[in-house]
Structures are given as structure tokens and as C-alpha cells.
């Protein structure tokens, strides 16, 4: 089994150095697939992001289903950023290989910098008693899934759902404002976030319908935002204390 989670996920890097981004996300993924083929791997599970696969989805089509027209393993019709245009070909080459998966998710590994690491960024700054920054009006939404829930989905995917695109998400939209308010409350911090200019190309809304995951994998998310925030904050406390 190969679980392909590696990626260059910083949108700013993809814009300033698209060749570097493509070398990691496209060529790098081809190396992973070729290595898996040579090693005789039974399956490759490829994790992408829902925002990359579906792009800007009409409000009435949220939460997005796997059948949405923009989820066909190809670049989005109107890609707003180079990360989307490199990640989509990665998904395409993954799905076109025999016994390969393209598995869009709404989560990414925790990072301490970059757009995809907003939970980690907020956690670190809240615990250091530093102000957090919210770009734009903070109304932009994402579908946040706790890491334990995602790992459970991966384990189930090892033996189920071959050849399918499967959303892993909660189907619940959470704005950046709501995320900050929840994490600040859990961290017992009473300070408003700092407002900054909106970043160009950022999706306004994103959430995923995980009905197929329930049917094919027997998976549903169980960790709500407050519990997940508390667990993330505890992790950072223990890490920093060590």
C-alpha cells in the first residue's frame, strides 16, 4: 500500500515559482506512482484537497459531491491559482494508472505556515499569546476535518472503495471567523483577530458531501470543531513543552 500525502501546498509558492510547484506536485507524484508500480504495490491512495479538485462551486451545489462536473481528474474550468492547475494533472495521472486512486479531501497535514495550515497557525499563535491574522472579511469557509477522523478513513480505504473518488469531509462549512472564535474560546484567549487584506484567488466557500464515504467505507466524521480544536491545542502545548 502507498498513501500519497506529499505535496507543495503553499499557494504563494505556487504563484511565485510555478515550475518548482509543478516539479513537486506533478513530476514528484509520477515518481511515487512509478515507484509503486515497480515495487508491485497493490494500491495507491492519493490525497488531494477539495478546493483544488472542485474549485469554485456554486452555492446551490454545496456541499460538493464527487459527481460534480469539475471533479473529473482534470484542471478546473477556470483555475484561479497555479496550485490548482498542478494538483489537478496530478490527480489525472493518478486516476489513469491501473489500481490507482484519486481521493479528494478537505484537509491537509498540519503545517506552521502557509494557507493550508490555518488551524496550526492559530494554535501556535494563541498559545504564544500572539495576535492571529484573518485575511479579508473572514467569511470565507472551509470544511475542517479532524486528523484522527481522516486517518480512520485512510485505514478503511486500504481495503475498500477501489477505483473511486471519495470525499472525506463533514459537509459543514466553517468560516475563518468561526474557526478563530472557537479556537480562541477553547484556548481561553479574549482578543480579536487582526484584519488584513484579502488574498487574491482564495475560494469563498468550500465543503464536501461525504455520503459516498459512508456507503463505500462505512466512514463518518465524529469529531466536532470544538473537540478537534482542543486536541490540536493540547498537541501544541505538549510539543512545545517537550
Amino acid at each position: 500500500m502507498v498513501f500519497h500525502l506529499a505535496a507543495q501546498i503553499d499557494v504563494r509558492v505556487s504563484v511565485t515559482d510555478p515550475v518548482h510547484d509543478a516539479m513537486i506536485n506533478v513530476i514528484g507524484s509520477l515518481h511515487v506512482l512509478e515507484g509503486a508500480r515497480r515495487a508491485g504495490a497493490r494500491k495507491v491512495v492519493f490525497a488531494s484537497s477539495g478546493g483544488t479538485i472542485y474549485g469554485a462551486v456554486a452555492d446551490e451545489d454545496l456541499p460538493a459531491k464527487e459527481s460534480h462536473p469539475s471533479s473529473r481528474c482534470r484542471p478546473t474550468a477556470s483555475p484561479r491559482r497555479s496550485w490548482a492547475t498542478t494538483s489537478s494533472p496530478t490527480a489525472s495521472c493518478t486516476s489513469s494508472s491501473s489500481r490507482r486512486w484519486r481521493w479528494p479531501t478537505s484537509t491537509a497535514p498540519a503545517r506552521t505556515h502557509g494557507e493550508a495550515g490555518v488551524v496550526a497557525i492559530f494554535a501556535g499563535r494563541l498559545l504564544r499569546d500572539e495576535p492571529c491574522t484573518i485575511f479579508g472579511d473572514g467569511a470565507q469557509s472551509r470544511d475542517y476535518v479532524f486528523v484522527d477522523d481522516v486517518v480512520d478513513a485512510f485505514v478503511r480505504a486500504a481495503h475498500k472503495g477501489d477505483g473511486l473518488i471519495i470525499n472525506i469531509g463533514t459537509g459543514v462549512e466553517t468560516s475563518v471567523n468561526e474557526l478563530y472564535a472557537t479556537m480562541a474560546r477553547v484556548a481561553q484567549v479574549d482578543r480579536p483577530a487582526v484584519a488584513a487584506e484579502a488574498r487574491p484567488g482564495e475560494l469563498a466557500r468550500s465543503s464536501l458531501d461525504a455520503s459516498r464515504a459512508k456507503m463505500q467505507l462505512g466512514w463518518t466524521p465524529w469529531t466536532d470543531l470544538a473537540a478537534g480544536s482542543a486536541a490540536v491545542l493540547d498537541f501544541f502545548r505538549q510539543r512545545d513543552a517537550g
Side-chain angles (χ1 to χ4, degrees):
M1 282 292 302
V2 175
F3 294 97
H4 181 11
L5 305 173
Q8 193 300 106
I9 64 173
D10 193 314
V11 174
R12 291 167 297 182
V13 173
S14 73
V15 172
T16 58
D17 194 349
V19 174
H20 171 74
D21 184 76
M23 289 296 295
I24 294 175
N25 288 342
V26 180
I27 304 302
S29 293
L30 287 172
H31 283 304
V32 171
L33 295 175
E34 178 61 10
R37 184 190 67 80
R38 292 185 179 185
R42 178 176 61 83
K43 179 192 279 187
V44 174
V45 176
F46 172 64
S48 183
S49 83
T52 297
I53 297 301
Y54 299 108
V57 177
D59 292 353
E60 61 270 20
D61 291 334
L62 290 173
K65 296 179 180 290
E66 294 88 348
S67 58
H68 192 274
S70 63
S71 66
R72 302 301 187 188
C73 300
R74 59 177 179 248
T76 56
S78 300
R80 295 187 177 186
R81 54 194 184 190
S82 58
W83 184 50
T85 62
T86 57
S87 294
S88 294
T90 302
S92 180
C93 71
T94 305
S95 66
S96 63
S97 301
S98 63
R99 298 175 298 150
R100 301 296 191 257
W101 274 47
R102 179 172 69 85
W103 194 23
T105 75
S106 57
T107 189
R111 292 161 61 95
T112 55
H113 67 281
E115 177 191 71
V118 61
V119 173
I121 293 170
F122 282 176
R125 298 188 71 85
L126 286 168
L127 293 176
R128 292 192 300 270
D129 197 27
E130 297 174 353
C132 297
T133 300
I134 292 179
F135 296 92
D137 61 8
Q140 59 270 31
S141 69
R142 296 294 182 270
D143 187 340
Y144 296 99
V145 191
F146 187 56
V147 61
D148 284 5
D149 301 21
V150 176
V151 171
D152 178 61
F154 268 92
V155 172
R156 293 168 183 266
H159 304 287
K160 297 179 180 180
D162 290 16
L164 294 176
I165 302 167
I166 298 181
N167 288 337
I168 301 302
T170 67
V172 177
E173 291 183 69
T174 300
S175 72
V176 178
N177 289 330
E178 292 169 331
L179 175 67
Y180 176 75
T182 299
M183 295 189 69
R185 182 175 67 253
V186 173
Q188 298 183 331
V189 172
D190 185 16
R191 180 197 297 115
V194 176
E197 287 189 19
R199 291 180 291 197
E202 186 173 12
L203 289 176
R205 299 178 63 188
S206 179
S207 64
L208 300 178
D209 184 314
S211 300
R212 180 178 289 179
K214 183 177 182 179
M215 180 174 16
Q216 296 292 335
L217 305 180
W219 179 89
T220 54
W222 67 87
T223 307
D224 63 25
L225 187 67
S229 297
V232 170
L233 288 162
D234 285 343
F235 169 82
F236 273 82
R237 286 192 189 96
Q238 295 175 24
R239 187 199 66 175
D240 294 344

